[in-house]
Each structure stands twice: as C-alpha cells, then as structure tokens.
Amino acid sequence: MIWRKRKYQDTHQRKNQKRTQSSPYRLTRQTLNDLSSFLFENSDKLQYGIALASLVTGRTISSLVDLDIPFELLESGVGRLFIRWHYGQASSPLFDSADRLIKDNAAYIVLPPCIASPIARARERAIPASELESQFSLPASRKRGPSGQLITLNTIQHVIDYELTKVGMTRFERDFIADNQMSDNMQNFYAAFSARLLHQRHADFMALFLPEHEVEMCRQHAAPDSYLFGSKKALSSSDVLSIYSALELALGEALRNRDHIAAHNIYTLYVVSTLQLATMHRPTSNAFRTLSTFCNNFEQVEIVDKSVSSTRLVPVCKYAQKLLTEYIEYLRSYQARFQFINRAKYHAIEDMLSGRSNLFRIQTASTFLPNIEHLPEALDDDVFNKINWHRHTMASWLIINDVVRDALSVFMGHRQALDLPTSARSTFCYDQLRSISEHINKVLHTLGLPHLSPGKR
Amino acid sequence: MDSNDQQVIKAKVEQIVIHPFAQPAYECDLDLRRQCIQHSAALSLSSPFPFEYPKVVNIDGGFQVISGWSQLLYPSTDMPEVLQVVCISHANDDEVSDIAWQYLIARLLNQIDHATFCAQLSQVLERSSLSHTDIEALTGVSARTLFAIARKLSQTSLSTSKRQISRLEQSTDEGVWL
C-alpha cells in the first residue's frame, strides 16, 4: 500500500498543481461569499480569524503563526507579514561596487486589522499551528457550501489558486503572497518586481472577501512606488552600464598599448555579456558553445547552460544578431593576422569559425584556451563569467515592464510540471518568445550600452 | 651572413611563417596596412605593392620570412599553395630583426603619400629596433630626433605632422590597428 502511495505520489502532486478554474474542487462564488462573511463576522475567534487569514493569503496556518517568520503589527492595526524566501547573493569587486535594484531585503505582505489581530494574538500566545488546525471546525450547517462542497482548511488555503486571475494576479505573485515553495516556479529566484503592484493586487484580491474599509487600510500601507522585492542579483541600468564602462576602459587601454591579446579577451567578454543579456543565458565556461548552436542566420540559438533539461531554443534579438555578426567579422580579420605568425592560433580561430570548437575563447600569449572559464588577471572578476546577473537583471526588467511571465518562464528554460509547450494541446506558441525577444531588443537599444570593437568601425 | 649564398626555391604556403625576430616589423606593417585602408582611398588591394619574393631562412624544414613579406600581408583564399621564395643560408637573430625593420622602412619610403604619412613614418621609426645612426644611414637624412627625420623625409610642417599624429592616435583608440 505504501509502495502504491509512493508510486503515484508525484502524479497526484502534479495533478494538484493544476488548479484550473473549471476544477470541481474550486469553491463556487456563493460558497466563498457565505464563507468569507462568516469568517469575517467571527474573526475575533482565533480559529476563524486565522482561517480568514489563510483564505486571503493562501498561506498555511503554520506559515501564518510560525515565529521564525517575522510579523509586525503597526499602530494602525495593519500587519506586515514577511516571507521566508531566500534570494541568493553574489560578490565580486566589480559587482559589489554596483548598486542593485533591491536595496532592502525586507519583503512582506500587508494584512488588514481583521486578520492582523488574530495572527498577532496567536503569535503572542505561541499557539502551535497543529493546535490551531485541530481547533478549526465550522458549524455543521456551514461545513458544506450551497452546492454541497466540503469546506476544509485545505480548500480555504487553495482558494487563491483558483481566484487569482480575477484580479490579474500572476501565479508568481501568488507564490510570494502564499509563501509557497520558491522552487514551485523557478522564476521566483530571478525576479525583482514592483512591491506596490504586488500589494495592490493582493488588496484587490482581499477585496473579494473583505469589506472595503479593511482593504483600504492595506492600500494606505502599500509599499512606495519605486520599492522592489526580489532578486538581489538584478542590477539597475546604470549599474549595468558601469560594468560595461569597466570593459570599455580596459579595451581603450589595450588598444593604446597595442595589446591585441587583451583586446581580444575584453571584446570577447563584451560580446558574451551582451548575448547573455539578450538571451538570458546562464554564465557557463562554454557560453553559447559553438557557432553551430546559432541557426537560421543567427535568429535563433539553442542554449544548454545547466543540465540537459535546461536545453531551449530561443530567438536572438536584432541587437544581438548584429553584435554576433560583427564578432564573426572580427574573428575573420583577426585570423588573417595569425596566418604567417602563429599557425596554432590561426587554426584555433578556424575551429571557432567552423564550429569545431567553442565560439568564445580566452586568448593567452601562446594559445587560445578552450573556453572563457579562466580569465586573465586583469579581467579576473566573477561578474564577467560566474555571477548570474544577466539573467536576473533582464528577467526583472521585463517583469517590471509587464511581459507575460509564463512566456518568460519558457524563454528562460523553466519547465513546469505537466507543462509541455510543444504539446498539441498547449496554448503556448513560439511567437510569444519572439515577442519577449522584441522587448529585449528595445531594452538593449534604450540601455545605451557602449559599442565596443577592437577592429574598424 | 653571406648575401651571395641565396637561391630562389618553391615553398608551400603552409611551410612559411614569419621569423620570430621579424614579427614586430611584420605586425607593424599589418597595422600600417589597416591604417592605410582606413585613410587612403587610393590604395588598391588587388596589387598593392611591386612584386617581390619573400626572403626566408630554412629552419627545421620550414621557411621563416625575414623580409619581402608584402605578398603575405594580403592572405586570401585564392593565394597559390606554393610560393617562390628567396632562401638564404642563415642569419642570426639580431640580423633578422635589423633586416626586417630595414625592409619595412625602405618600403614605406617608397609608398604613396597619404593623409597620415609623416605620422606613420614617425611611428615606424619609433617602433623599430634600429639605432638612430642606422636609421640615418638607411634614410640618408640626419636629424636630432626620429620625429624630425620623419618630418624631413615627408616634407611635412610641424603643425601638419602634429595634426597627423593626433589623428593617428585617435584612430588607434578606435581600434583601427587590429
């Protein structure tokens, strides 16, 4: 029996993740109205107040009362409940000198007094979540909704999964509000997003169940306009420009010193970085692998930047295509320089251009290294080949600019359970990726990156 | 070196490389070529220089070019697989370096004038490993500085030559040398 349970565990989990609006488990509007009214009227009773909190946040009871999760009760009666999500950090001399998009890591949701109060009381008394769960019991007449649906804490907690679309909330915002596992949607690790928009949407969602005066207090305590929550590796446009200016300065010096080896390495990192921004490629030693990974006249690239499961085919925007074409022209010209000086380097570039070796390779005095893993001392900063800031930054910019986050997930190579973009039943189409690529193109044009080139322009 | 001990032979292109001690002069020539392409519309790529045989030394079965590399400045896909070269028996490293720089300077003096000729000439003289006396002997012009020699040879005024130098430096910053 246990074996059978385990065997189908994953299948059931995946099935449960698909909470479509036509699911028979979704509570009807009438049921929700009756339930929320009852819970609100009785919110002074701890079990119902906490259940109401679960209804409007999607959080489990333990996530609401866990003392490890900070909670603040403001003078106005509004509560701030923080999240458990942990955003990875990175450090390097150049990266540390740049200001990130996120300056404060205190990410929270705002709760109205009718919910904040019972949470505060439960926390004061340090009542374990299990006890609160066992105490919860609806009167017999309310255990089932008008259409006969059984109402449990579990169904209450999952209301947000069905109703989020009513207020334009994304499932990523839902994950944040409900304090779901961050890994439920891998994009959660990458996104920096508007805190105000999140609070507004959450307030809209709460307004489905709570009186307007309660929700209005939340709106008044929403985060300021420019406040962002999320990734600590996402950079602002000025920070990105500062990284590129470091490359520009280094290239200028290399050109003045006629140091073509340094110039090649700097230019290579410049092209790789920009292509990474354009395609959201993770930093890897074999970034973009060989020339043959680009296809259809450089309009598309096949990316494998993690395990095999990271493989994806994404469009390359015009900005990046132009850069890549210039890089190839540069390589051709640079190769000619070596024909009668250094045959090994000549053949190495031949290999790069014919797809027999990586397209991007660091050069030393005697040879071309196989990839960009080992940088020369002058460029040895993790920001160029190890820190995943390109992906975090571009994803965050796109999210802030309201691109479709589900399509962005596909662009970034994040797969959901039961999510098969190539399936005949899928509503996803490649044009959605092209649309994201066009957004990226606009972003890169408006960013005003310096145009570096060691050759003639 | 016995200059009489030389013969014209055929060598496969893949056997030909620039002698390591001639490389600085060759690379300087490559830089000049790019500057000329940038700045001189009169330069014809199909037949840029008078015909000449590369002068080589035979080392370990390969041919190392010490001068006469004008054919090798324009490697192209239609380059013949075999080239005729003048092979000399031997030359020590210092001699190779001098020969290479002498060749480059002599050839530059015979080239067409263009917008940054004085600056380029001055640049080559500065980069060369030849002594001041050798340069004076080679060019037949005496002056206190290499810049002055370049000015005399190109018959360029001080203001014009300075303007040329700043223009050339700007080009270098923009990466035209690669």
Side-chain angles (χ1 to χ4, degrees):
Chain A
M1 187 67 186
I2 290 170
W3 177 82
R4 279 178 64 85
K5 265 189 176 176
R6 280 189 189 150
K7 184 179 175 188
Y8 293 109
Q9 192 178 31
D10 289 344
T11 312
H12 285 300
Q13 273 177 357
R14 285 202 298 274
K15 190 183 75 178
N16 288 337
Q17 278 176 14
K18 299 273 285 183
R19 295 183 194 284
T20 60
Q21 278 59 31
S22 59
S23 162
Y25 300 102
R26 175 186 168 268
L27 296 180
T28 61
R29 178 60 54 84
Q30 187 58 48
T31 307
L32 283 172
N33 284 345
D34 289 355
L35 174 67
S36 57
S37 302
F38 172 79
L39 293 176
F40 178 69
E41 283 159 15
N42 295 282
S43 60
D44 53 330
K45 291 177 187 154
L46 206 52
Q47 55 162 321
Y48 297 133
I50 294 289
L52 185 61
S54 180
L55 175 71
V56 299
T57 61
R59 291 199 179 199
T60 60
I61 304 294
S62 64
S63 168
L64 291 166
V65 299
D66 185 347
L67 296 177
D68 290 337
I69 303 174
F71 175 77
E72 279 176 16
L73 191 61
L74 306 181
E75 276 183 24
S76 60
V78 165
R80 278 182 177 173
L81 184 57
F82 292 79
I83 59 154
R84 278 185 292 200
W85 285 7
H86 173 74
Y87 290 97
Q89 301 209 45
S91 178
S92 84
L94 208 50
F95 195 67
D96 293 345
S97 66
D99 268 345
R100 322 286 156 79
L101 275 181
I102 309 292
K103 294 173 181 68
D104 188 338
N105 63 353
Y108 59 89
I109 56 172
V110 184
L111 298 175
C114 64
I115 287 168
S117 169
I119 291 175
R121 275 186 284 141
R123 283 167 168 259
E124 266 172 27
R125 290 188 229 161
I127 304 173
S130 55
E131 195 179 320
L132 286 167
E133 282 166 4
S134 62
Q135 280 174 4
F136 178 77
S137 172
L138 288 168
S141 59
R142 294 191 176 273
K143 279 196 172 167
R144 286 186 183 274
S147 50
Q149 292 170 308
L150 184 63
I151 301 168
T152 64
L153 273 178
N154 190 45
T155 51
I156 288 173
Q157 185 205 327
H158 287 298
V159 165
I160 195 169
D161 299 334
Y162 297 112
E163 309 301 318
L164 60 96
T165 50
K166 269 189 204 141
V167 292
M169 183 189 289
T170 65
R171 59 195 169 101
F172 307 92
E173 289 164 330
R174 180 275 319 272
D175 287 345
F176 181 91
I177 293 165
D179 194 36
N180 287 346
Q181 286 292 317
M182 211 172 172
S183 55
D184 282 358
N185 287 298
M186 296 304 286
Q187 196 186 100
N188 291 329
F189 289 95
Y190 291 91
F193 52 91
S194 162
R196 188 172 186 83
L197 190 60
L198 176 103
H199 287 161
Q200 276 173 354
R201 284 184 179 155
H202 187 210
D204 292 344
F205 178 72
M206 288 191 287
L208 298 174
F209 310 107
L210 300 176
E212 189 51 43
H213 68 272
E214 288 279 345
V215 179
E216 186 53 35
M217 293 190 72
C218 291
R219 293 190 204 279
Q220 286 169 10
H221 286 82
D225 267 339
S226 57
Y227 208 73
L228 299 173
F229 292 152
S231 164
K232 291 176 185 169
K233 291 183 195 167
L235 302 178
S236 68
S237 51
S238 61
D239 302 329
V240 172
L241 288 175
S242 74
I243 290 174
Y244 275 84
S245 348
L247 287 174
E248 191 177 22
L249 279 174
L251 182 64
E253 197 182 332
L255 293 176
R256 275 189 294 280
N257 296 335
R258 298 179 178 281
D259 184 349
H260 62 88
I261 295 175
H264 167 84
N265 293 335
I266 295 159
Y267 182 51
T268 299
L269 292 180
Y270 159 74
V271 176
V272 171
S273 274
T274 313
L275 287 177
Q276 277 181 269
L277 265 178
T279 59
M280 284 185 266
H281 191 300
R282 291 181 180 89
T284 60
S285 55
N286 298 331
F288 297 100
R289 299 176 291 146
T290 67
L291 191 59
S292 55
T293 59
F294 293 90
C295 40
N296 201 15
N297 202 18
F298 306 133
E299 285 180 9
Q300 222 177 33
V301 61
E302 185 197 66
I303 293 175
V304 184
D305 52 1
K306 212 174 175 183
S307 59
V308 177
S309 67
S310 71
T311 310
R312 57 197 182 276
L313 201 59
V314 296
V316 179
C317 67
K318 299 276 182 213
Y319 187 100
Q321 283 176 37
K322 184 167 176 280
L323 204 64
L324 193 63
T325 314
E326 283 176 8
Y327 178 73
I328 288 162
E329 276 173 20
Y330 151 78
L331 278 184
R332 286 209 179 100
S333 158
Y334 196 38
Q335 184 191 23
R337 190 177 187 93
F338 290 117
Q339 183 165 1
F340 297 106
I341 297 179
N342 188 327
R343 294 283 172 167
K345 285 190 174 182
Y346 179 82
H347 290 303
I349 297 180
E350 183 64 38
D351 289 346
M352 290 154 83
L353 288 170
S354 61
R356 287 194 295 268
S357 77
N358 280 330
L359 180 60
F360 299 104
R361 297 169 65 178
I362 291 295
Q363 189 189 179
T364 65
S366 56
T367 186
F368 280 90
L369 300 177
N371 51 39
I372 58 166
E373 187 175 7
H374 300 293
L375 300 183
E377 199 176 337
L379 295 168
D380 196 10
D381 190 302
D382 284 354
V383 82
F384 294 127
N385 66 345
K386 297 209 168 61
I387 298 176
N388 198 357
W389 63 269
H390 315 82
R391 206 165 146 85
H392 284 254
T393 301
M394 187 53 81
S396 298
W397 288 352
L398 293 174
I399 287 164
I400 291 166
N401 281 302
D402 254 352
V403 300
V404 179
R405 291 186 66 167
D406 288 307
L408 181 62
S409 276
V410 180
F411 198 103
M412 294 176 79
H414 294 143
R415 288 182 175 79
Q416 299 299 314
L418 298 185
D419 182 16
L420 297 168
T422 53
S423 150
R425 290 179 294 280
S426 171
T427 53
F428 176 82
C429 67
Y430 191 73
D431 276 350
Q432 288 177 273
L433 294 191
R434 283 209 187 93
S435 154
I436 288 183
S437 181
E438 280 162 20
H439 270 287
I440 292 173
N441 199 45
K442 276 184 209 157
V443 167
L444 289 174
H445 274 292
T446 49
L447 187 57
L449 294 175
H451 183 210
L452 306 190
S453 172
K456 280 178 291 180
R457 277 172 285 190
Chain B
M1 182 181 70
D2 178 6
S3 60
N4 291 326
D5 191 9
Q6 59 183 29
Q7 54 181 325
V8 177
I9 58 168
K10 286 182 177 175
K12 286 183 180 172
V13 169
E14 68 230 30
Q15 289 179 303
I16 297 173
V17 291
I18 304 294
H19 191 288
F21 279 78
Q23 267 186 28
Y26 175 79
E27 292 199 60
C28 185
D29 207 357
L30 281 174
D31 296 346
L32 283 178
R33 178 185 73 136
R34 281 165 171 76
Q35 286 166 1
C36 287
I37 291 169
Q38 178 85 356
H39 293 293
S40 170
L43 189 72
S44 161
L45 287 178
S46 56
S47 56
F49 302 111
F51 179 78
E52 61 187 356
Y53 290 138
K55 190 172 267 189
V56 301
V57 285
N58 189 338
I59 296 176
D60 298 334
F63 298 99
Q64 297 193 342
V65 181
I66 61 173
S67 68
W69 53 63
S70 59
Q71 287 186 72
L72 311 182
L73 286 171
Y74 298 91
S76 62
T77 48
D78 57 357
M79 179 177 262
E81 288 180 8
V82 175
L83 287 180
Q84 286 204 319
V85 296
V86 177
C87 186
I88 62 171
S89 56
H90 67 276
N92 68 41
D93 293 343
D94 288 340
E95 282 175 336
V96 169
S97 177
D98 286 354
I99 291 169
W101 282 111
Q102 282 165 9
Y103 162 74
L104 175 59
I105 292 167
R107 217 192 63 205
L108 187 60
L109 291 175
N110 290 327
Q111 266 180 244
I112 52 165
D113 195 358
H114 56 82
T116 54
F117 180 68
C118 175
Q120 287 180 332
L121 188 56
S122 170
Q123 200 178 70
V124 171
L125 297 181
E126 295 284 350
R127 283 174 73 176
S128 85
S129 62
L130 296 175
S131 67
H132 191 99
T133 323
D134 285 347
I135 289 174
E136 283 181 331
L138 179 69
T139 58
V141 172
S142 295
R144 280 178 59 199
T145 63
L146 296 176
F147 178 53
I149 292 175
R151 273 187 53 225
K152 277 189 179 176
L153 284 167
S154 61
Q155 298 178 323
T156 309
S157 71
L158 186 62
S159 57
T160 306
S161 56
K162 283 185 175 171
R163 204 164 45 243
Q164 284 187 11
I165 286 172
S166 75
R167 204 182 308 158
L168 202 61
E169 278 172 357
Q170 192 188 345
S171 302
T172 307
D173 286 352
E174 287 169 357
V176 295
W177 56 272
L178 196 64

